[in-house]
Structures are given as structure tokens and as C-alpha cells.
Amino acid sequence: MRLPISMLCVSAMLAVTPVAAEPAVPPQREPSGTDLAMEGLNKLMLGLQQLVEELPRYDLPEITENGDIIIRRIDPGRIPEAPRIPGDPADPDGGVDL
């Protein structure tokens, strides 16, 4: 009889002793639709930027005296020229005659 009473006392003592509390973790909020949309747009813009950087770039077309059209590939490090506007007074050639 002593064994069941002592076991009962030990189990009662264990039930009464406080349990060490786990550190409180703040609940994580679920991202809103706006947050998810902005994250998606940022990833889309980065992907488009990488696509444009990887595409080969070409210089402005040139028309030779024979009427041939030459389109040269430019170096990736070189900045392309601004497009010429036909009839622009700042253009010494006066644009392209067709």
C-alpha cells in the first residue's frame, strides 16, 4: 500500500510544480495582397532587366551610297547613339533621304 500512496504523492507534486514557459514568439502576420503583388512586381522587373541586358544590341542602321542597309552589333560596354530625327537642324547630314 505504501507504493501506490508514494506514487500518488509524487504524481501530485509533479502536477503542482510550474512548467518552464517557452519564450513568447510574436505571431507572424500573413502578408497582405498588396505585399504579395509588390514582391511579384519587383521580381518581374528584375527578370525583365536581366532579359534586356542579355539581348544583343545593335547600332543605328546605316545606308551606304549603294543603298545597302548595314546594321552593326554594338559592344555591350558601349552606349548606343541617340536616334537621329530626319530634318533635325542639329544633325549636320540633315537626316536620311529616302
Side-chain angles (χ1 to χ4, degrees), residues 16 25 30 32 34 39 43 58 65-67 69 78 88 90:
V16 174
V25 177
E30 215 168 291
S32 68
T34 306
E39 182 181 348
K43 288 182 180 182
Y58 297 92
E65 294 175 4
N66 299 337
I69 300 174
R78 199 180 106 199
D88 187 10

Side-chain angles (χ1 to χ4, degrees), residues 7-31:
M7 289 178 85
L8 183 63
C9 289
V10 170
S11 62
M13 288 171 47
L14 286 175
V16 174
T17 53
V19 177
E22 294 181 15
V25 177
Q28 294 182 359
R29 71 174 185 93
E30 215 168 291

